[in-house]
Amino acid sequence: MRAPLLSGNGPLARVTPIVAFLVVAAVFAVGVIVGGALGALLLGILAVGVAVLIAATWHVLSPGQRAGRVLVLAILVAVAVSVLLAD
């Protein structure tokens, strides 16, 4: 069994994974549904959060995991740009 990526008492250590998933899914859905500048802003905030998490865990990720996370970040940024330009 693998060790946790980052052990500690940080602010995310107390958040259950299902709650984190539901919050991210809700913000993503609202961002896409609302559209325009506000939707793009919400998606941009998610992208910044993903980028911070990637940066914090980069040293413990394998190259395949890094590629997958960067791909998710790129898709999120592309969706944010398309939501902004669709208005």
Side-chain angles (χ1 to χ4, degrees), residues 8-48:
N9 304 9
L12 293 178
R14 294 180 295 274
V15 178
T16 60
I18 189 69
V19 170
F21 172 79
L22 291 174
V23 169
V24 168
V27 173
F28 181 84
V30 169
V32 170
I33 291 169
V34 169
L38 179 59
L41 177 66
L42 290 172
L43 294 170
I45 290 169
L46 279 181
V48 168

Side-chain angles (χ1 to χ4, degrees), residues 60-81:
V60 296
L61 298 174
S62 70
Q65 291 171 325
R66 290 175 182 174
R69 283 162 175 77
V70 170
L71 179 62
V72 167
L73 179 60
I75 291 170
L76 182 56
V77 169
V79 170
V81 169

